[in-house]
Amino acid sequence: MTLGIQVVFDAADPRRLAEFWALALDYELQKPPEGFSSWEEFAEKVGIPREKWDALSAVVAPDNSGPRLLFQKVPDGICC
């Protein structure tokens, strides 16, 4: 049994912060679930409101050697 670790960060712009850390750590943006060509396609299929599509972004180590980093959108002025 493996134990997955996830570290969560508050962010004003989750996608931008995820892209930065992916580059800095040699990680990659997490791909959408199998069967979906994009996260937008997945969000639409499962009924996530369009205004929430930019609420999360995650990066993962290509070889699963490190923790998943999840960036979650918070209201302006609450974080970084």
Side-chain angles (χ1 to χ4, degrees):
M1 180 173 147
T2 61
L3 176 64
I5 302 289
Q6 174 172 275
V7 181
V8 180
F9 298 91
D10 290 347
D13 186 344
R15 176 71 182 214
R16 189 169 170 201
L17 203 52
E19 289 171 347
F20 170 82
W21 283 108
L23 182 63
L25 298 173
D26 202 24
Y27 270 38
E28 58 188 32
L29 292 173
Q30 186 172 11
K31 294 177 177 62
E34 193 169 319
F36 295 94
S37 61
S38 69
W39 281 106
E40 290 79 11
E41 180 185 348
F42 171 78
E44 187 169 37
K45 176 71 175 179
V46 300
I48 297 172
R50 188 173 291 269
E51 64 271 9
K52 301 244 184 202
W53 286 7
D54 66 345
L56 299 170
S57 192
V59 297
V60 294
D63 61 358
N64 293 319
S65 63
R68 176 180 189 246
L69 305 181
L70 177 71
F71 302 90
Q72 64 182 2
K73 189 170 193 167
V74 295
D76 290 338
I78 294 201
C79 77
C80 42

